[in-house]
Amino acid sequence: MPDQTIYQRPRRPDRAGETVVTSTCGHNCGGRCVVNAHVVEDRIVKISTDPARWQPELPPLHACARGVGQIERVYHPDRLKFPMRRTGPRGSGQFERISWDEALDHVAREMLRIRREHGNAAILNASRSGSLSMLHGGGVTKRFLYKFGGCTDLWSNMSAEAEVFAVHMTFGAKADYKSSGREPTDFVNSKLILMWGWSPADGTFGTGTLPYLKEAKKRGVRIVCVDPRRTRTSVSLADEHIFIKPSTDAAALIAMAYVIVSEGLHDQAYCDRHVLGFNEAHLPSDAPAGASYRSYLMGESDGVPKTPEWAEARCGIPAETIRRLAIEFATTKPAALQCGYAPGRTAFGEQFHRAAYALAAITGNVGVVGGNSGVSNGATGRSGIRSLPPGNNPIDAKVSTPLLADLLARGRAGGYPADIKMIYSAGGDLFNQCPNANKMAKSLEGVELIVVQDHFLTPTARHADVLLPATTFWERNDVHTPWAGAGHYAIYMKQAIQPMYECRNDIDIFADLAQRVGINDYNDRSEEEWLRELTRDAVGDFEAFAENGVARFAAPQDAVAFAAQIRDPEHHKFSTPSGKIEIYSMALAAKPDPYGLGRISPIPTWIDPVSPEPRYPLMLCSPKSRARTHSIHGNQPLLARVDRDDVWMNPTDAKARGIVDGHQVRVFNDRGSTLLPVKVTSRIAPGVVSIKEGAWFTPDPEGRDTHGCANALTDDRSAPCGATTYNTNLVEVERAA
């Protein structure tokens, strides 16, 4: 088959004395856009983006403010410039300059000692998504630590583990959560798009996703948004906004299913052919009587019909609205349910996603043009570009990521694989991004060595014993692919400037460290050799790719995931045990507590996420900031103007507390507190407040956060599937003294 790849040069010609270099942000930002560095005498003087105009057939890859803001970041005066060693108390930010040899010799010596005295499980890999590119990404740390004999890994996806889990349980073990939705090109084929906790105008969700939604809106597609906040996407696109309490989304979806089934609006023929467990006739032979989803909806299994009135008491949506929305979704063909990650970042987040997939299935919308599976991500095909192979962890030591604070606090006494004696963090800021920041900071007494490779003195780096300055993506070559699969392309990240100060590439730091600890096969290739190897299955002309900057690949046959399974179920089965969409999960029936974190029912089930607490009557949610990628960019004052940090509060709640717009307020609970200006707005549901995630944890001497860090308030609690629970937390708000 001939190579259908199109090589594009998404930049204007160089001007005299200037070189223009194409790259892309290497962060976990939600997009994968073109950022062009205009370089004069080894200095970036300007950043531009793809100059092409919008066309749906070959959409431009336009950058957001964060991409343009990279110039402020790379030349920030607070860049880590040379290796440093801690001189003051941990967390004080007091360091002294040392040489690279001193730093790496010390780290190697301590690693060998800790391994000898405590074993490999005492070493925690706390690297994360600061760099996600194919070569210089998270694989560099894993490759080193696995070759060193292994480490304790934090295994769950902090953003989307509930969706990862639900996709596997519903659509099969081989289903990829990033490939189980639909292409944005298909948005125009829907009659109705139900956006549930999903706001591409705030969180991006794939470069070009928002223009495709605007095109669908222009062509008459009705858009309804369900969210605790009236988001930027809802304001600009939605025909209707429906407010909901955080953590209660599963109840609303289950009640919608009740209405659809009780009124006979479900697609029974579709269920007969493609779905396991919708009704009693389509259960596995060993399932108990009354185990079907229909029995649960009707209350036949527990005596509680899941009516809209039942749901209203839990989620705050009027019963009549739930009933109307259910009927509209069932009778508008095709209809697409587009779910975000946020409703899954809750105490039982897997139930939200499974209930969403069940609703899409019983209405016959999975695998059809203009419909959707309910899965958040878009790609139905991947490019085939690989990342640096990390190998396998030689030891079985894994902990669900949201439990990091508890792992550090209790170790073996809490049932964890080891007492953590060493933490290695390259491109990670988990002390800011994991829940319960105060508990983490107080749980480091037994940790003997913390090593951080980063660009700045982040909240995590402040606790380090040794700081190693790493290059940014502008200072090295790499390759990257679309974040959520919105489109089929790759970007060559061409080096724009020489490494600044004494900064070094992460892979080179680990290569030198590997030699010091006796690892002889960490890296035997040059940067270009690696990039050729990692792209060879997808890129036919590497020179054209590297020179031009963007390789556009052919789209797959179907723009909607699982179209082949629905079109030809005899030859294309789902990778579930039954070969069908499993509303009743045979895997969960066989192993209801898969991770030792709590039992999960074989069918989507409502479980009350939180007990009322009179001292803390407000629910907290933590949406994305357009001025940050999680905590990255959190120290950039110019970029911060794009989306200022504040706490959103409904006018009713503000009035009851004597709070007016612009007041400095204290948000608090038993775990901690933070200070922020308040934005009093009817764009948030009563009883709910929101703080944008990612602000840097900056405690005063008493441990009270002063800069709006949401994780000073969140609980280090894991959902049964391993998901984070950022959006299941109670707080109170008062005027700051």
Side-chain angles (χ1 to χ4, degrees):
M1 182 177 177
D3 184 9
Q4 300 180 46
T5 303
I6 299 172
Y7 299 99
Q8 291 182 306
R9 185 185 297 253
R11 56 189 182 271
R12 299 196 188 281
D14 300 354
R15 294 181 178 180
E18 172 189 80
T19 302
V20 184
V21 174
T22 292
S23 188
T24 186
C25 300
H27 314 313
N28 191 13
C29 61
R32 196 62 62 225
C33 316
V34 165
V35 286
N36 296 317
H38 297 246
V39 182
V40 177
E41 296 181 351
D42 199 41
R43 184 174 180 87
I44 301 172
V45 297
K46 173 186 172 183
I47 292 176
S48 64
T49 190
D50 190 338
R53 293 186 176 183
W54 166 256
Q55 53 175 327
E57 299 79 15
L58 203 64
L61 305 174
H62 290 155
C64 72
R66 290 169 294 185
V68 178
Q70 292 290 351
I71 195 168
E72 182 187 15
R73 186 172 192 272
V74 73
Y75 293 119
H76 198 292
D78 294 342
R79 276 283 300 270
L80 294 179
K81 299 176 176 65
F82 33 72
M84 293 195 288
R85 176 170 51 208
R86 179 168 61 88
T87 57
R90 184 167 277 158
S92 66
Q94 297 173 17
F95 294 88
E96 66 177 1
R97 180 176 183 174
I98 57 176
S99 70
W100 271 105
D101 282 339
E102 285 180 282
L104 295 180
D105 286 347
H106 176 74
V107 172
R109 186 167 55 249
E110 285 296 284
M111 289 191 72
L112 291 168
R113 179 189 64 79
I114 290 169
R115 182 176 67 176
R116 182 175 64 251
E117 294 179 2
H118 303 288
N120 280 84
I123 301 170
L124 175 70
N125 178 15
S127 304
R128 217 60 186 190
S129 61
S131 176
L132 289 178
S133 48
M134 298 298 101
L135 177 58
H136 298 287
V140 292
T141 315
K142 288 183 177 180
R143 185 177 175 89
F144 170 72
L145 291 176
Y146 293 174
K147 287 180 178 294
F148 188 67
C151 59
T152 291
D153 267 332
L154 298 170
W155 63 265
S156 67
N157 182 313
M158 295 175 73
S159 294
E161 190 61 39
E163 172 140 289
V164 173
F165 179 85
V167 164
H168 289 162
M169 294 302 105
T170 308
F171 301 115
K174 294 181 181 179
D176 174 14
Y177 83 107
K178 285 194 173 181
S179 302
S180 296
R182 63 171 177 160
E183 304 284 320
T185 54
D186 188 58
F187 291 166
V188 295
N189 296 318
S190 301
K191 296 291 178 57
L192 168 68
I193 296 177
L194 179 54
M195 301 191 303
W196 204 296
W198 188 64
S199 180
D202 291 286
T204 304
F205 246 94
T207 301
T209 295
L210 196 60
Y212 280 113
L213 281 170
K214 291 179 179 178
E215 183 71 16
K217 174 78 171 178
K218 182 180 176 182
R219 297 198 192 183
V221 178
R222 176 168 158 80
I223 297 176
V224 177
C225 180
V226 181
D227 201 286
R229 304 163 71 246
R230 191 139 197 250
T231 63
R232 285 171 58 87
T233 311
S234 179
V235 168
S236 62
L237 293 175
D239 296 284
E240 180 180 6
H241 186 94
I242 298 170
F243 287 107
I244 189 170
K245 295 178 182 177
S247 296
T248 67
D249 307 87
L253 289 162
I254 288 168
M256 287 176 65
Y258 168 90
V259 172
I260 290 167
V261 173
S262 63
E263 300 203 12
L265 299 176
H266 60 286
D267 191 331
Q268 186 63 54
Y270 183 99
C271 291
D272 290 344
R273 193 177 190 200
H274 302 295
V275 179
L276 180 80
F278 165 65
N279 55 17
E280 297 293 306
H282 296 291
L283 281 170
S285 58
D286 58 351
S292 71
Y293 194 44
R294 188 186 187 285
S295 295
Y296 174 71
L297 296 175
M298 298 298 108
E300 296 167 4
S301 58
D302 61 3
V304 181
K306 308 310 179 294
T307 64
E309 290 74 19
W310 167 88
E312 179 181 356
R314 288 155 177 81
C315 67
I317 302 177
E320 189 48 47
T321 301
I322 295 173
R323 184 172 288 106
R324 173 175 55 80
L325 185 62
I327 293 170
E328 181 180 9
F329 189 76
T331 57
T332 306
K333 301 287 187 178
L337 179 55
Q338 301 282 155
C339 295
Y341 293 159
R345 298 182 192 128
T346 49
F348 302 97
E350 64 278 347
Q351 302 296 353
F352 158 71
H353 288 289
R354 296 178 67 217
Y357 307 162
L359 190 71
I362 67 173
T363 52
N365 281 304
V366 178
V368 301
V369 172
N372 191 32
S373 60
V375 173
S376 309
N377 293 293
T380 56
R382 306 298 291 277
S383 67
I385 290 178
R386 293 170 287 122
S387 58
L388 179 73
N392 297 313
N393 194 345
I395 62 172
D396 184 17
K398 295 181 179 180
V399 176
S400 177
T401 308
L403 299 177
L404 173 58
D406 200 53
L407 164 66
L408 296 175
R410 298 198 295 153
R412 288 186 185 276
Y416 296 105
D419 297 317
I420 298 302
K421 300 298 180 182
M422 176 186 171
I423 298 173
Y424 207 120
S425 175
D429 193 11
L430 290 180
F431 279 51
N432 197 79
Q433 293 306 104
C434 273
N436 210 339
N438 280 301
K439 181 176 177 179
M440 264 188 292
K442 294 173 182 176
S443 301
L444 298 175
E445 185 176 340
V447 180
E448 299 171 7
L449 179 67
I450 300 177
V451 183
V452 172
Q453 282 171 216
D454 215 313
H455 307 134
F456 296 100
L457 193 64
T458 66
T460 299
R462 290 183 69 87
H463 293 84
D465 297 291
V466 177
L467 288 172
L468 304 176
T471 54
T472 66
F473 65 83
W474 294 118
E475 300 157 77
R476 59 203 186 198
N477 295 293
D478 214 322
V479 170
H480 221 333
T481 55
W483 175 84
H488 303 277
Y489 60 91
I491 298 179
Y492 189 88
M493 304 170 70
K494 192 167 186 176
Q495 183 175 340
I497 57 176
Q498 292 300 307
M500 296 176 64
Y501 315 114
E502 294 184 22
C503 299
R504 301 186 63 195
N505 296 344
D506 292 287
I507 195 171
D508 296 329
I509 296 171
F510 281 118
D512 274 5
L513 194 55
Q515 290 184 338
R516 285 170 163 84
V517 298
I519 299 170
N520 299 316
D521 60 347
Y522 178 77
N523 184 18
D524 60 354
R525 303 183 191 189
S526 68
E527 190 175 60
E528 181 178 328
E529 287 171 338
W530 270 120
L531 294 178
R532 286 181 179 273
E533 169 64 22
L534 299 177
T535 60
R536 63 180 172 84
D537 293 337
V539 176
D541 188 337
F542 183 84
E543 283 73 19
F545 178 39
E547 172 60 27
N548 287 282
V550 174
R552 299 274 195 161
F553 307 118
Q557 176 187 354
D558 294 305
V560 179
F562 310 122
Q565 287 89 334
I566 300 305
R567 186 169 54 240
D568 186 3
E570 295 302 316
H571 297 95
H572 298 278
K573 297 183 181 297
F574 289 88
S575 59
T576 54
S578 66
K580 295 185 175 185
I581 301 169
E582 292 196 358
I583 293 180
Y584 179 96
S585 168
M586 294 178 68
L588 285 173
K591 191 176 182 180
D593 187 1
Y595 306 126
L597 297 171
R599 293 178 62 87
I600 305 174
S601 168
I603 58 171
T605 306
W606 164 254
I607 306 170
D608 200 336
V610 64
S611 299
E613 170 53 79
R615 294 180 300 159
Y616 308 119
L618 300 170
M619 291 289 290
L620 172 68
C621 61
S622 50
K624 300 299 176 198
S625 169
R626 292 176 292 114
R628 287 190 296 272
T629 298
H630 302 306
S631 67
I632 294 172
H633 306 294
N635 61 340
Q636 293 181 225
L638 293 178
L639 183 58
R641 298 176 186 175
V642 170
D643 198 0
R644 297 185 185 277
D645 283 312
D646 48 28
V647 52
W648 283 24
M649 194 175 205
N650 185 273
T652 302
D653 298 319
K655 183 178 180 181
R657 292 161 176 79
I659 292 171
V660 300
D661 188 65
H663 271 166
Q664 189 80 358
V665 296
R666 175 176 174 258
V667 188
F668 64 96
N669 58 22
D670 284 342
R671 289 176 289 278
S673 65
T674 191
L675 297 173
L676 279 168
V678 67
K679 179 176 180 177
V680 178
T681 173
S682 58
R683 285 176 56 186
I684 192 165
V688 183
V689 294
S690 72
I691 298 174
K692 300 180 191 79
E693 63 94 22
W696 285 17
F697 180 56
T698 311
D700 66 13
E702 283 73 44
R704 298 170 299 200
D705 180 62
T706 58
H707 280 64
C709 177
N711 282 325
L713 305 162
T714 52
D715 193 5
D716 53 319
R717 172 186 182 185
S718 176
C721 68
T724 51
T725 57
Y726 297 125
N727 294 322
T728 306
N729 291 281
L730 299 174
V731 299
E732 180 56 291
V733 180
E734 64 182 11
R735 285 194 63 177

